[in-house]
Amino acid sequence: MSRPSRHKGPSKIRNRPFVIATFAMTADGKVTTKNFGPVDFTSREDKLHLFRQRALADAVLLGHTSLERDNVRLGVPAELQELRIKRGQPRSPLRVIVSNKGKINDRLKIFQSDVSPIIIFSTKRMPQKNQEALRKTATLHLTNAVGVDLATMLKTLRNQYNVRTLACEGGPTLFRSLLEQGLVDQLNLTIAPYMFGGSKAPTLTGVSKEFLPASVHCSLIELRTVGDECFLTYRIKHQRRRRSRTRSPRNE
């Protein structure tokens, strides 16, 4: 089953990017182990799939916990950089980090790479020493609130940085927070032929035992299999919601 998955989102969304989340999970729904350690349970094709999705976006988003765990640069391979240039895009997407506490290690690989600008959304809970170190390589947006207002963050990316498409790569806590606020438009999901088990290992929406505020309806727009892996693309159907207190990622 395969249908075109090009979205029409930006023309319908006001003041924020079209948000595409890309994840891989085991057959029993786990995205990592109970220790939240780096895992490598998907194929080379899945890794290329992640790079291709990243390369299509104007910016790539990652929560602080996932950044610390995986220690990635968030760049794209040279051949995909060339394709971006042919499409009229910068060589690499903007790199966006979200963190409530702001205790971000400036020695992470992402800060040693200058492939594209880095934007950090955090709060004034960020220690002064971290602020001083991070300002050398990143642009900081710090709020007085306890946590980052994700809807406001997206509006800032759209209005100040002209981000029309945002690739969210985790973690599950950040994804859940975006999902709870109706801020995810598409989900790219790879199902890998493994099972981890364990109630403490996070699923796609983290380890919370609470239900989402409302069920999220997904519409399948593409399905393909490569080897033993299944690649799914879902459009997230947005429903009108009652106004609720803005949530931010709890542990990022």
Side-chain angles (χ1 to χ4, degrees), residues 16 19-21 23 61-63 98 148-154 166-185 212 216 236 238 241 247-250:
R16 75 166 178 86
V19 178
I20 302 174
F23 281 90
L61 172 68
L62 197 63
V98 60
V148 176
D149 184 325
L150 297 176
T152 299
M153 176 190 75
L154 294 181
L166 178 66
C168 174
E169 297 184 6
T173 302
L174 174 58
F175 175 66
R176 181 186 177 106
S177 296
L178 290 166
L179 204 61
E180 287 176 346
Q181 296 179 49
L183 299 175
V184 181
D185 303 293
L212 292 168
V216 177
I236 305 297
H238 296 298
R241 302 167 183 264
R247 292 188 175 186
S248 59
R250 289 166 283 277

Side-chain angles (χ1 to χ4, degrees), residues 31-49:
V31 295
T32 185
T33 62
K34 67 177 182 179
N35 298 321
F36 287 76
V39 292
D40 187 12
F41 60 87
T42 62
S43 68
R44 181 175 181 273
E45 174 60 27
D46 176 65
K47 294 171 179 60
L48 291 173
H49 175 65

Side-chain angles (χ1 to χ4, degrees), residues 99-110:
S99 170
N100 286 334
K101 296 180 180 178
K103 296 180 180 179
I104 303 172
N105 183 355
D106 65 295
R107 296 182 181 180
L108 291 171
K109 290 179 180 178
I110 190 171

Side-chain angles (χ1 to χ4, degrees), residues 64-77:
H64 176 214
T65 301
S66 296
L67 179 66
E68 288 273 0
R69 181 192 69 201
D70 298 332
N71 197 12
V72 289
R73 293 182 175 86
L74 293 181
V76 294

Side-chain angles (χ1 to χ4, degrees), residues 65-251:
T65 301
S66 296
L67 179 66
E68 288 273 0
R69 181 192 69 201
D70 298 332
N71 197 12
V72 289
R73 293 182 175 86
L74 293 181
V76 294
E79 61 271 21
L80 293 178
Q81 293 179 25
E82 296 304 320
L83 288 176
R84 285 178 59 86
I85 292 172
K86 289 179 180 179
R87 292 195 295 264
Q89 295 176 292
R91 183 173 291 275
S92 297
L94 297 172
R95 296 171 291 174
V96 183
I97 304 166
V98 60
S99 170
N100 286 334
K101 296 180 180 178
K103 296 180 180 179
I104 303 172
N105 183 355
D106 65 295
R107 296 182 181 180
L108 291 171
K109 290 179 180 178
I110 190 171
F111 301 113
Q112 315 308 317
S113 169
D114 60 357
V115 295
S116 67
I118 302 170
I119 306 164
I120 298 175
F121 288 88
S122 187
T123 69
K124 291 186 178 177
R125 297 163 63 192
M126 178 185 284
Q128 190 63 36
K129 64 177 183 179
N130 293 83
Q131 293 187 36
E132 293 173 359
L134 293 170
R135 286 187 195 281
K136 297 176 182 178
T137 53
T139 299
L140 304 186
H141 289 266
L142 305 181
T143 176
N144 289 315
V146 175
V148 176
D149 184 325
L150 297 176
T152 299
M153 176 190 75
L154 294 181
K155 289 180 181 179
T156 300
L157 289 173
R158 179 67 182 88
N159 297 328
Q160 292 190 27
Y161 298 95
N162 198 31
V163 175
R164 295 177 177 273
T165 304
L166 178 66
C168 174
E169 297 184 6
T173 302
L174 174 58
F175 175 66
R176 181 186 177 106
S177 296
L178 290 166
L179 204 61
E180 287 176 346
Q181 296 179 49
L183 299 175
V184 181
D185 303 293
Q186 183 172 306
L187 171 63
N188 299 320
L189 182 63
T190 301
I191 300 178
Y194 296 96
M195 288 184 278
F196 288 171
S199 61
K200 295 183 179 180
T203 67
L204 191 60
T205 53
V207 293
S208 175
K209 295 181 180 179
E210 298 178 3
F211 288 111
L212 292 168
S215 297
V216 177
H217 186 193
C218 304
S219 175
L220 183 66
I221 58 176
E222 185 176 1
L223 181 156
R224 65 187 178 94
T225 57
V226 179
D228 293 327
E229 290 176 330
C230 184
F231 295 82
L232 305 165
T233 301
Y234 289 103
R235 181 68 48 81
I236 305 297
K237 293 189 174 181
H238 296 298
Q239 299 181 11
R240 292 183 179 179
R241 302 167 183 264
R242 295 180 179 179
R243 284 187 171 270
S244 59
R245 180 171 58 87
T246 300
R247 292 188 175 186
S248 59
R250 289 166 283 277
N251 298 317

